[in-house]
Amino acid sequence: MEKEYVMQIAQTIREQLLSLNPAPVIMSWGIEEFAATTYRGLPALRIKVNGRLHTGYIIVALNGSDYYEVYLQKGMKVECINGEVCFDELGDVIDRAIEKGTDQAEYDRFCDRQRALLLSGQYA
């Protein structure tokens, strides 16, 4: 696979994530790096994250059906969390997997506790 093609796909994925999702959501993922790569023979973007539910890598690969496949990687363990994601669903799929989870009420309580800690000055 041509390096330039992989770079172009990775850049497109990155731009879609950053432009279609609110900045606070993206910031909550604790992104440390973006890297163009191939995964399972597909052009992909690998993102190093430090989220509440997942710390490690997210791999977003473009498959032959023009959908994204999303993988969580921690060490040598790789798990496909969704094999058919449209570009406009990508942020929600990733956010549920690494930060928010599936229980909205639990996540709201977590955010409220974090906000209270920040406002109290106890975080240094």
Side-chain angles (χ1 to χ4, degrees):
M1 186 169 302
E2 289 186 35
K3 181 179 178 180
E4 189 165 314
Y5 176 68
V6 172
M7 295 291 288
Q8 178 186 1
I9 296 301
Q11 181 65 23
T12 297
I13 297 167
R14 183 179 178 275
E15 288 173 2
Q16 288 171 339
L17 279 172
L18 296 178
S19 66
L20 296 175
N21 296 283
V25 171
I26 298 293
M27 291 173 61
S28 75
W29 300 350
I31 294 174
E32 295 180 28
E33 68 183 43
F34 292 99
T37 189
T38 57
Y39 185 72
R40 298 178 55 171
L42 301 171
L45 176 68
R46 188 181 72 189
I47 310 165
K48 186 173 185 182
V49 297
N50 185 12
R52 181 175 76 105
L53 303 175
H54 174 75
T55 297
Y57 293 94
I58 298 293
I59 301 168
V60 180
L62 180 65
N63 68 27
S65 300
D66 211 20
Y67 286 100
Y68 292 121
E69 297 176 7
V70 180
Y71 298 87
L72 298 181
Q73 179 182 13
K74 188 165 190 156
M76 296 303 293
K77 183 182 176 193
V78 179
E79 172 190 4
C80 180
I81 58 169
N82 198 318
E84 198 171 273
V85 181
C86 291
F87 75 96
D88 59 343
E89 301 168 323
L90 194 54
D92 289 336
V93 168
I94 293 172
D95 195 43
R96 267 193 313 275
I98 68 171
E99 182 66 23
K100 190 174 182 180
T102 57
D103 185 341
Q104 183 66 46
E106 186 275 332
Y107 185 64
D108 289 343
R109 287 190 301 274
F110 168 79
C111 290
D112 289 343
R113 286 191 307 270
Q114 295 302 305
R115 189 176 303 109
L117 277 173
L118 286 169
L119 294 175
S120 73
Q122 292 178 2
Y123 261 141

